[in-house]
């Protein structure tokens, strides 16, 4: 029987992850470049070493048992920690991170984010032919999901978090104010009512809401009335499209719908409980609290933070949604 320690290798954990994700031994074998029989043998070796059954083989799909689910969860955590260790080692050696993950709220400008990526990839450290070698990963989050991505270690930089957010070891700086307007399609019943719209009038009509992407933190619900019918969508862009189709009403960021308001495709209405501007910030991890040996801040993160010091960059992230020329530094 294989020893438990020698059986729990990174390859074994990656194999478990591939089987669970693809749903079958055959599909996982194709992904890993192995024959199914070899994969089946490896799983049996792992089960023998741990003295547990990891997959329920009674159905066509490879469904993890309770023990298998536990190994999957812990295995994915260990693999992430291994990647983080490798990242920190490389950062200490070269100054550049292996990977930098940026989590951005869906209300921010995708155009500006991609322009920042272009500028980053154009860097030539020490006049080398290639860029810094840091892989960039962009995540789109909603409401508390942006903050959760940072504090859970899934992101290195979070853009568009509430400015009042706070956590040990997290630095936060102001990004800017984002104005919201209450908008409806011109043929929506609320469009013809006198202003300001009272809550009882709004309550009679469906609202469109964007689902918070947080998985562990308490999700945020904004500007929904108790008892109001709600259509929930996955992104701000989907919310705007739903309101253009007269599927509901609600508050939307003014920069994202500016062209629709000018073109008459949406109508802004004042309401009695007018929403104020939302103050957004950007945040990053400053390092482990109380750590005696703290690795220096990576050069990739330093570069992004330097760009965010520019008022033009911060303004573009909040306002540039209509394909207008950008003045990002």
């Amino acid at each position: 029987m294989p020893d438990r320690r020698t059986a729990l290798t990174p390859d074994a954990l990656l194999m478990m992850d591939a089987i669970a994700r693809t749903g079958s031994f055959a599909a996982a074998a194709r992904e890993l470049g192995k024959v199914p029989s070899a994969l089946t043998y490896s799983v049996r070796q792992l089960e023998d070493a741990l003295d547990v059954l990891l997959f329920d083989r009674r159905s066509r799909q490879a469904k993890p048992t309770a023990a298998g689910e536990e190994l999957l969860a812990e295995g994915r955590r260990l693999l992430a920690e291994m990647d983080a260790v490798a990242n920190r080692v490389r950062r200490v050696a070269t100054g550049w991170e292996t990977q930098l993950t940026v989590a951005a709220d869906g209300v921010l400008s995708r155009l500006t984010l991609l322009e920042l990526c272009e500028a980053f990839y154009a860097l030539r450290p020490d006049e080398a032919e290639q860029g810094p070698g840091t892989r960039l990963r962009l995540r789109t989050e909603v409401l508390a999901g942006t903050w959760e991505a940072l504090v859970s270690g899934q992101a290195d930089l979070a853009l568009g978090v509430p400015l009042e957010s706070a956590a040990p070891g997290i630095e936060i700086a102001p990004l800017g104010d984002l104005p919201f307007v209450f908008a409806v399609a011109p043929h929506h019943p609320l469009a013809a009512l006198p202003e300001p719209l009272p809550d009882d009038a709004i309550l009679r009509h469906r609202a469109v809401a964007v689902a918070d992407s947080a998985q562990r933190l308490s999700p945020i619900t904004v500007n929904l009335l108790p008892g109001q019918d709600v259509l929930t969508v996955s992104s701000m862009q989907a919310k705007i499209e739903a309101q253009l189709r007269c599927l509901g009403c609600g508050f939307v960021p003014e920069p994202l719908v500016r062209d629709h308001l000018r073109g008459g495709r949406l109508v802004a209405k004042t309401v009695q409980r007018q929403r104020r501007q939302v103050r957004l910030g950007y945040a990053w991890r400053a390092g482990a609290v109380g750590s005696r040996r703290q690795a220096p801040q990576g050069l990739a993160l330093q570069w992004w933070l330097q760009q965010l010091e520019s008022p033009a960059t911060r303004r573009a992230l909040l306002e540039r949604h209509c394909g207008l020329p950008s003045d990002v530094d």
Side-chain angles (χ1 to χ4, degrees), residues 28 33-34 42 53 79 115 141 143 165 174 176 247 251 261:
K34 298 182 178 182
S42 296
L53 186 65
L79 289 171
E115 286 181 351
E141 302 290 346
L143 297 171
S165 303
L247 294 176
F251 285 92
L261 294 172

Side-chain angles (χ1 to χ4, degrees), residues 260-271:
H260 293 308
L261 294 172
R262 289 172 178 170
R265 295 180 292 276
L266 285 175
V267 177
K269 303 286 289 186
T270 59
V271 298

Side-chain angles (χ1 to χ4, degrees), residues 112-329:
T112 304
L113 280 171
L114 292 176
E115 286 181 351
L116 286 167
C117 291
E118 286 180 333
F120 179 82
Y121 286 133
L123 290 175
R124 295 292 182 268
D126 301 323
E127 303 300 323
E129 293 184 1
Q130 296 182 344
T134 300
R135 297 191 302 273
L136 293 180
R137 184 182 181 193
L138 300 182
R139 292 171 58 114
T140 299
E141 302 290 346
V142 179
L143 297 171
T146 310
W147 180 252
E148 181 182 87
L150 179 68
V151 298
S152 66
Q154 299 177 68
D156 304 291
L157 176 64
L159 307 177
V161 299
L163 193 55
E164 65 274 11
S165 303
I170 301 292
E171 296 283 345
I172 189 165
L175 186 63
D177 294 339
L178 185 64
F180 278 70
V181 295
F182 187 87
V184 295
H187 51 295
H188 191 282
L190 290 175
L193 294 184
E195 302 174 82
L197 298 177
D199 282 355
D200 59 351
I202 297 173
L203 183 59
R204 292 193 290 268
H205 299 278
R206 183 186 306 110
V208 184
V210 183
D212 195 316
S213 61
Q215 299 296 313
R216 296 182 180 178
L217 296 180
S218 298
I220 298 174
T221 301
V222 183
N223 280 308
L224 293 178
L225 296 171
Q228 187 176 18
D229 183 24
V230 181
L231 167 63
T232 302
V233 295
S234 60
S235 68
M236 182 58 69
Q237 288 69 28
K239 172 180 168 71
I240 293 170
E241 183 63 31
Q243 292 184 208
L244 286 167
R245 294 173 179 270
C246 204
L247 294 176
C249 59
F251 285 92
V252 287
E254 187 275 334
L256 272 75
V257 296
R258 191 172 294 162
D259 275 2
H260 293 308
L261 294 172
R262 289 172 178 170
R265 295 180 292 276
L266 285 175
V267 177
K269 303 286 289 186
T270 59
V271 298
Q272 287 181 348
R273 53 183 184 97
Q274 191 67 269
R275 186 179 185 185
R276 296 173 295 178
Q277 291 184 334
V278 175
R279 302 194 67 197
L280 297 177
Y282 60 96
W284 64 98
R285 291 195 301 276
V289 177
S291 174
R292 294 182 180 179
R293 296 178 65 253
Q294 181 174 313
Q297 192 178 82
L299 294 177
L301 178 59
Q302 287 183 36
W303 182 89
W304 279 79
L305 293 175
Q306 288 169 1
Q307 308 313 303
L308 291 166
E309 290 176 0
S310 164
T313 299
R314 298 196 300 269
R315 185 170 60 252
L317 282 168
L318 292 169
E319 296 191 1
R320 186 172 178 252
H321 299 278
C322 305
L324 301 175
S326 173
D327 54 356
V328 174
D329 291 353

